[in-house]
Amino acid sequence: AALVEYVKSPYCENNWMTRFLSDARRKHGANTSGSGLLGDTELKLAKQMLSTHILVGLSSYYEKSMERFRLATHHFGKDSNIDDQQQQKTCVQKQMSSAQSEHYKYQTLVEELAPVGSEAHSLLMDKNFLDMKLYDHAVQLFHGEQKQLISSLQQELL
């Protein structure tokens, strides 16, 4: 009940990622409630920013995402200062383990507070409908265009 009240309040942000990537926070003022109206223009700008400037990783494909980030940083010459490949692998595994643990905790909390089909879940989805469309676009990028980019980076490294 407390979550439903919060989501209905003016204090609950909405469409934060769309607002951030489209630069709407600066354009409409850094309103912490995220109450400025957003529409198709901001979603289009956010999708364009995501497509052209951000390498997408998905927590549900964490290992594959980490490998993509490693390839991209290696390709652009910004590899870590760790020379020993075993040290590098151990470091990545440690980070992956920690992030997966945090993802599991977050997922469990979300499922408890706003399970699919609940009023809280429906309200959150409605309040963040542009971010959900942006997420769908990110998933498409991950499995489509960016998959091709990573394949070409892998070929260059061979």
Side-chain angles (χ1 to χ4, degrees):
L3 180 59
V4 170
E5 290 174 26
Y6 172 71
V7 174
K8 288 179 177 180
S9 80
Y11 303 107
C12 183
E13 282 192 311
N14 64 73
N15 298 304
W16 184 88
M17 188 58 68
T18 302
R19 194 175 301 281
F20 179 78
L21 291 177
S22 68
D23 205 20
R25 290 182 66 92
R26 185 182 60 79
K27 292 175 189 168
H28 301 298
N31 184 336
T32 56
S33 70
S35 62
L37 293 177
L38 300 179
D40 290 337
T41 301
E42 288 81 11
L43 179 60
K44 184 178 178 181
L45 287 168
K47 284 181 175 182
Q48 182 179 20
M49 181 65 71
L50 194 63
S51 297
T52 58
H53 297 294
I54 297 170
L55 180 60
V56 173
L58 299 173
S59 59
S60 53
Y61 292 92
Y62 194 80
E63 289 185 35
K64 189 180 285 189
S65 296
M66 289 299 293
E67 178 62 15
R68 286 180 179 199
F69 297 147
R70 188 192 66 74
L71 280 168
T73 55
H74 179 74
H75 175 75
F76 293 109
K78 296 178 183 170
D79 221 357
S80 71
N81 292 329
I82 300 173
D83 293 326
D84 181 6
Q85 287 186 351
Q86 185 56 42
Q87 271 186 305
Q88 205 171 26
K89 187 175 181 179
T90 302
C91 180
V92 168
Q93 286 173 337
K94 182 178 175 184
Q95 292 299 319
M96 287 173 51
S97 176
S98 174
Q100 285 173 329
S101 175
E102 288 302 312
H103 173 74
Y104 177 75
K105 288 179 198 173
Y106 174 76
Q107 191 67 28
T108 302
L109 182 63
V110 168
E111 289 169 1
E112 286 177 19
L113 294 176
V116 174
S118 69
E119 181 182 12
H121 183 267
S122 296
L123 289 169
L124 285 167
M125 296 299 279
D126 289 346
K127 196 159 196 157
N128 294 287
F129 70 99
L130 292 175
D131 275 1
M132 297 310 300
K133 288 182 178 184
L134 187 62
Y135 175 76
D136 290 341
H137 181 68
V139 171
Q140 288 175 352
L141 286 174
F142 184 83
H143 293 296
E145 295 171 29
Q146 291 189 354
K147 183 177 180 181
Q148 294 169 0
L149 168 70
I150 295 303
S151 291
S152 67
L153 291 178
Q154 285 173 323
Q155 292 302 316
E156 289 178 26
L157 292 174
L158 296 179

